[in-house]
């Protein structure tokens, strides 16, 4: 695993820099929360780890039905 340190507003280019597959930008950092902006073509699937695990387990039809866990 590659670990890269970035500050708010900085970016990481994925793929060939001349024609990148996508860009990851640190949108904001507030306390222990980091917002990440992902700029990839629509045909590239991007999922949170828990969603990707559920899709792998249950199949792609589950993707639109997964909701975040409640904070209760």
């Amino acid at each position: 695993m590659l670990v890269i340190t970035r500050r708010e507003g900085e970016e990481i280019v994925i793929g060939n820099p001349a024609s990148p597959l996508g860009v990851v930008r640190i949108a904001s950092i507030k306390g222990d929360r980091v917002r990440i902006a992902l700029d990839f073509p629509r045909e590239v699937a991007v999922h949170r780890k828990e969603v990707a695990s559920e899709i792998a387990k249950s199949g792609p039809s589950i993707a639109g039905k997964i909701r975040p866990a409640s904070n209760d």
Side-chain angles (χ1 to χ4, degrees):
M1 176 182 294
L2 173 64
V3 178
I4 300 174
T5 301
R6 299 277 73 199
R7 290 186 173 89
E8 191 170 318
E10 294 181 334
E11 298 178 336
I12 299 165
V13 175
I14 307 296
N16 179 351
S19 178
L21 176 62
V23 176
V24 178
R25 182 174 54 89
I26 306 304
S28 66
I29 303 170
K30 293 181 183 174
D32 64 346
R33 308 282 286 190
V34 178
R35 293 187 73 193
I36 300 171
L38 305 169
D39 185 10
F40 285 83
R42 280 196 164 289
E43 57 272 5
V44 175
V46 178
H47 301 287
R48 297 184 322 249
K49 176 65 176 174
E50 62 274 18
V51 172
S53 296
E54 194 62 34
I55 291 170
K57 184 174 95 178
S58 303
S61 62
I62 193 77
K65 301 174 184 161
I66 301 171
R67 298 286 175 244
S70 67
N71 293 332
D72 298 336

